[in-house]
Amino acid sequence: EERRYRSATGAPLWLRRRQHSASCRELAVRGPRLQLRSLSAATSAVWLAAYGLFVLCQNSMVLSAAIFITLIGLIIYLHFVKVDQESLLVIGSLGIQVTSSYASGKESTTFIEMGQVKDVVINEAIHMQKVIYYLCILLRDPDDPQGVSEVVPLFQSSKPRLDCLTEVYRSCQEILEQRKTAPQSS
Amino acid sequence: NSPAPLPERAIYGFALFLGSWFGFILYLIWAYIPETWLFSLGLTYWPQKYWAVALPAYLLVAIGFGYVLLFGINMMSTAPLNSTHTVTDNYAKKQQQKKYQEEAIPALRDIPISEVNRMFFLPEK
């Protein structure tokens, strides 16, 4: 099912939860698509500035350069910056898969096996003059059973607020608890 | 180490007050009195008057730059979101567990983040 939440900056988000089986769950956070009005605003601003420069220096290369920059900038933005959906696939006893889908269709995936996962927690940290809540995976330290070797932050581009994070946290903990009650091999 | 007034502090304060007035009058003399008059008094080896204007200008720019610099240094030394310093530190790693005593207030310790999360977010509404 899908529910509406807000990001840390106020943008609307949608959280979709799917249960594939008793020990497998997928949680996807989707942000708003690229708006036509912001695209038109950016393009008009760049082209008006280029036209102003052209009127000043009478060099028509400025106009072609502005068109080129707008096109290349849009492609780079869609392919490297604009994240459409970030999803978390938790498979009990196998691992956790984190996927980011960009607006151009590119998908970048990371898989962390369950042996390395210590816990999935909601952490608070200072980020750009704000204190934000963010979900992160704590990785186990091979030398120290109680220690944390690495922190992997999740949902970095969409930055959901605490209500959405609590839902995701509860879903993940239900699956992570199963590995404590049913250890197959030690 | 209290900030209460003491006789020594009064003396230091007054000495600083007199010293700063003396320094200011000296600076005004150096900046305004023409060089020829200073030469005729015998004071030939004082710095160029250029510095009477340059040093305050440098100082003001340095103060403004200091604001930006402090802001930037603070941002740089904030731990990034993927560092373990947001979760634990050396004191928490090396802490020793005290034995639990009946009817006593539990000892102060750093609670691991997993436990804190379970307490905050798991109980049903």
Side-chain angles (χ1 to χ4, degrees):
Chain A
E1 76 267 17
E2 200 164 298
R3 236 192 273 179
R4 222 184 130 184
Y5 290 97
R6 284 199 172 274
S7 84
T9 49
L13 294 174
W14 286 267
L15 171 69
R16 191 188 62 210
R17 283 195 295 190
R18 264 207 211 140
Q19 174 135 351
H20 296 286
S21 86
S23 61
C24 176
R25 258 189 215 164
E26 185 182 357
L27 300 129
V29 171
R30 183 170 62 88
R33 297 252 184 280
L34 180 65
Q35 306 275 25
L36 182 61
R37 57 176 176 224
S38 50
L39 178 64
S40 322
T43 312
S44 320
V46 171
W47 286 2
L48 279 175
Y51 185 69
L53 263 181
F54 168 69
V55 164
L56 275 176
C57 66
Q58 293 297 325
N59 184 4
S60 66
M61 279 300 286
V62 175
L63 298 173
S64 344
I67 295 175
F68 198 60
I69 286 174
T70 313
L71 277 174
I72 299 292
L74 181 65
I75 291 178
I76 290 180
Y77 177 69
L78 291 180
H79 194 68
F80 292 109
V81 174
K82 178 97 184 70
V83 172
D84 255 353
Q85 177 176 291
E86 286 166 304
S87 78
L88 191 68
L89 179 68
V90 185
I91 307 175
S93 81
L94 188 63
I96 300 181
Q97 176 169 289
V98 183
T99 318
S100 297
S101 325
Y102 292 83
S104 64
K106 166 174 113 165
E107 282 197 7
S108 127
T109 316
T110 317
F111 180 76
I112 303 168
E113 55 174 359
M114 212 36 120
Q116 285 182 352
V117 168
K118 183 163 184 278
D119 203 0
V120 171
V121 299
I122 298 180
N123 193 13
E124 299 172 58
I126 301 175
H127 175 73
M128 301 285 268
Q129 292 88 44
K130 260 203 285 208
V131 174
I132 57 165
Y133 290 100
Y134 64 105
L135 197 72
C136 58
I137 304 178
L138 303 177
L139 297 187
R140 205 164 281 182
D141 191 2
D143 308 320
D144 178 15
Q146 302 293 326
V148 174
S149 79
E150 216 181 303
V151 171
V152 178
L154 303 173
F155 301 127
Q156 288 288 80
S157 312
S158 33
K159 290 202 184 61
R161 286 190 180 169
L162 190 61
D163 43 6
C164 180
L165 289 179
T166 323
E167 289 299 322
V168 179
Y169 174 74
R170 290 210 184 115
S171 298
C172 291
Q173 285 296 321
E174 279 170 22
I175 303 214
L176 288 178
E177 272 166 7
Q178 293 172 4
R179 59 172 182 168
K180 262 186 280 177
T181 53
Q184 298 296 321
S185 59
S186 53
Chain B
N1 286 3
S2 74
L6 293 171
E8 293 89 27
R9 286 177 181 167
I11 295 173
Y12 297 154
F14 190 59
L16 267 177
F17 171 70
L18 286 182
S20 57
W21 264 113
F22 175 69
F24 185 53
I25 302 294
L26 198 63
Y27 171 75
L28 288 180
I29 290 175
W30 168 47
Y32 280 105
I33 297 188
E35 267 204 333
T36 45
W37 294 18
L38 289 177
F39 286 168
S40 67
L41 282 172
L43 307 164
T44 54
Y45 210 58
W46 279 19
Q48 277 187 329
K49 283 175 186 292
Y50 162 78
W51 293 108
V53 180
L55 283 177
Y58 274 128
L59 191 67
L60 286 176
V61 172
I63 289 174
F65 180 63
Y67 277 118
V68 179
L69 194 72
L70 189 68
F71 195 68
I73 289 180
N74 267 323
M75 280 181 74
M76 275 173 59
S77 32
T78 312
L81 291 188
N82 63 349
S83 101
T84 52
H85 291 283
T86 54
V87 179
T88 184
D89 67 354
N90 278 334
Y91 296 104
K93 284 185 199 154
K94 293 198 190 122
Q95 63 181 348
Q96 286 127 355
Q97 306 277 358
K98 292 218 177 99
K99 259 203 329 203
Y100 175 70
Q101 289 170 331
E102 287 288 332
E103 309 255 334
I105 301 174
L108 195 66
R109 68 182 178 103
D110 189 54
I111 304 177
I113 186 170
S114 311
E115 216 173 300
V116 173
N117 264 267
R118 270 192 283 272
M119 190 193 77
F120 274 140
F121 303 120
L122 275 187
E124 294 303 309
K125 283 176 248 195

